[in-house]
Amino acid sequence: MSTESTPLQSSAVINEAVQTLRDGGLVAFPTETVYGLGADAKNPEAIKKVFASKGRPSTHPLIVHVAAPDKFDQDQIDWVSVLAPWARDISESALKLIAAFWPGPLTLVFNKDKSVPSEATGGQDTVAIRAPAHPMTQDLLRKFKGGIVGPSANRFGKVSPTSASDVRNEFEGMLDLMVLDGGDCEVGIESTIIDLSSGDKPVLLRPGAITPSEILAKTGIQVYQPGEIKKTEEEAALPRVSGSLRAHYAPTTPLRLYAPGRVLDALSEFPDIKSRVAVAVWDSESSLVLEDHPSIDVEEVIVSSDSAAFASRLYRSLRDLDQQAWDLILFPEPPAGEEWDGVRDRLQRACFGSGPSSSSHASS
């Protein structure tokens, strides 16, 4: 089993994690979004261990996690010096976004400094950076005095981990993996990713808890959707980022979405499912009469109609259901609205990648 730790981390445990990273080892760490599988972001060999452990394609870039300076006055934080070892072309818009949302679940994509290993960026000239809000990982980053790459601490393409026990279950055979236990993740889905590398128009590359509307309200910065930006033939395509493959976050059990009020129709589309189906239903709806469906054993699972609460429990629910030997999992389609875009994105990718052959979908 991997090295365990308790939720209340002692300074000695953090120091051990720092030394593990300096020695080129891997440390799983908590963030407010999901748990990350961490390595020294300036150590190419350590970064390769992350890809090998996850079974992740080497062209799929990682996010570099950095420490927020230990100051109480956000206005006095020198973020430029924090970013300088990693990024070039740090704009005023970038500093506005950082001042409003860091530490927190927002990742920014910059043109990379030449010292950043290509292994961390998937061979691209851009680098994705964020400052996680979890106090344990901030402590780890400050003591490490460097950046830590940290994709989700799970096998590639599978459901992301939101607890230390999830990580241990994923990497049960990795005896040398140190797992820091910071409790359950609050946000529950991966960070919002904004591309700042290609000019004065920030582009949303991955939706998350922080929405374009919230960014506009807090900073006055308009974030564009990829399709809203017209690129000349000379300009490069948008950078690749974590979580952008069509199949991702996927349970082994087949997962499908159903339209509002159409759960019985969804069930009837799967006549070969002859035994057990888990159906997630909104807590705001009355109990559905599913037992009338012939030859199918159906069980309701209540999910929150609040977008933030739904997100915080999404991966926990998928992991738990995946371990209960259902033949099919049905989830309701999330409502329209930016606040639901993050979970809609995760569910759509999870559906595409789900099923017993999901590992073969991950590279699609």
Side-chain angles (χ1 to χ4, degrees):
M1 286 293 291
S2 50
T3 303
E4 297 188 9
S5 56
T6 59
L8 297 175
Q9 298 299 318
S10 68
S11 179
V13 171
I14 298 298
N15 290 340
E16 180 185 350
V18 167
Q19 191 59 52
T20 298
L21 292 168
R22 288 176 179 163
D23 292 341
L26 304 185
V27 175
F29 60 91
T31 77
E32 72 279 20
T33 58
V34 301
Y35 273 70
L37 184 63
D40 181 354
K42 289 290 181 78
N43 184 335
E45 294 307 312
I47 295 170
K48 290 177 183 177
K49 291 180 184 178
V50 172
F51 283 100
S53 298
K54 283 178 62 70
R56 180 185 178 104
S58 61
T59 56
H60 203 46
L62 307 178
I63 294 172
V64 176
H65 297 71
V66 298
D70 192 7
K71 294 183 179 179
F72 294 103
D73 188 348
Q74 280 286 108
D75 293 334
Q76 300 303 312
I77 292 178
D78 181 10
W79 284 106
V80 173
S81 66
V82 174
L83 294 172
W86 310 99
R88 297 184 291 111
D89 308 326
I90 302 167
S91 65
E92 286 300 315
S93 292
L95 294 175
K96 283 184 180 180
L97 291 169
I98 288 168
F101 296 106
W102 280 14
L106 179 68
T107 294
L108 301 177
V109 177
F110 299 92
N111 293 308
K112 80 177 185 73
D113 183 84
K114 62 182 180 181
S115 66
V116 179
S118 61
E119 287 83 359
T121 66
Q124 300 182 114
D125 292 328
T126 54
V127 61
I129 306 174
R130 91 174 182 99
H134 199 290
M136 182 186 303
T137 296
Q138 279 294 322
D139 188 25
L140 173 67
L141 285 160
R142 289 191 188 107
K143 290 181 176 178
F144 180 59
K145 301 185 186 301
I148 299 175
V149 292
S152 55
N154 56 288
R155 304 294 181 179
F156 182 67
K158 307 307 291 183
V159 180
S160 300
T162 54
S163 71
S165 61
D166 291 342
V167 180
R168 296 181 190 117
N169 289 336
E170 286 280 326
F171 297 103
E172 192 170 3
M174 284 186 62
L175 302 179
D176 56 350
L177 173 63
M178 184 173 186
V179 180
L180 296 177
D181 189 343
D184 294 341
C185 301
E186 293 183 8
V187 175
I189 61 171
E190 294 80 1
S191 58
T192 302
I193 300 181
I194 304 293
D195 177 33
L196 300 172
S197 68
S198 53
D200 58 354
K201 292 183 177 180
V203 181
L204 179 69
L205 299 187
R206 182 176 72 185
I210 296 173
T211 65
S213 293
E214 184 181 0
I215 289 172
L216 181 63
K218 289 189 175 181
T219 68
I221 294 172
Q222 180 177 354
V223 175
Y224 295 84
Q225 300 292 329
E228 295 178 308
I229 302 297
K230 292 184 178 180
K231 290 186 171 290
T232 66
E233 292 183 2
E234 292 79 16
E235 288 181 297
L238 291 169
R240 299 185 306 276
V241 292
S242 293
S244 58
L245 297 181
R246 188 178 178 188
H248 223 73
Y249 321 112
T252 301
T253 307
L255 171 68
R256 301 291 182 268
L257 301 182
Y258 65 87
R262 304 294 296 272
V263 64
L264 292 178
D265 291 343
L267 286 169
S268 66
E269 292 176 9
F270 299 95
D272 295 335
I273 303 299
K274 54 184 177 297
S275 53
R276 306 182 68 239
V277 181
V279 180
V281 297
W282 299 116
D283 57 7
S284 56
E285 295 181 355
S286 59
S287 180
L288 302 173
V289 186
L290 300 177
E291 59 270 16
D292 292 341
H293 197 282
S295 70
I296 292 182
D297 175 16
V298 178
E299 181 173 319
E300 290 183 7
V301 179
I302 304 301
V303 293
S304 177
S305 53
D306 173 80
S307 59
F310 183 98
S312 71
R313 293 288 301 170
L314 174 59
Y315 293 149
R316 171 82 282 121
S317 298
L318 289 179
R319 277 184 172 271
D320 290 347
L321 291 170
D322 208 18
Q323 295 169 4
Q324 294 170 11
W326 298 102
D327 296 302
L328 176 69
I329 301 170
L330 290 177
F331 258 70
E333 293 179 357
E338 276 189 2
E339 70 274 17
W340 287 98
D341 284 352
V343 293
R344 182 182 301 106
D345 171 81
R346 305 316 190 272
L347 279 170
Q348 288 172 344
R349 296 177 196 277
C351 285
F352 184 80
S354 68
S357 60
S358 58
S359 60
S360 67
H361 298 160
S363 59
S364 299

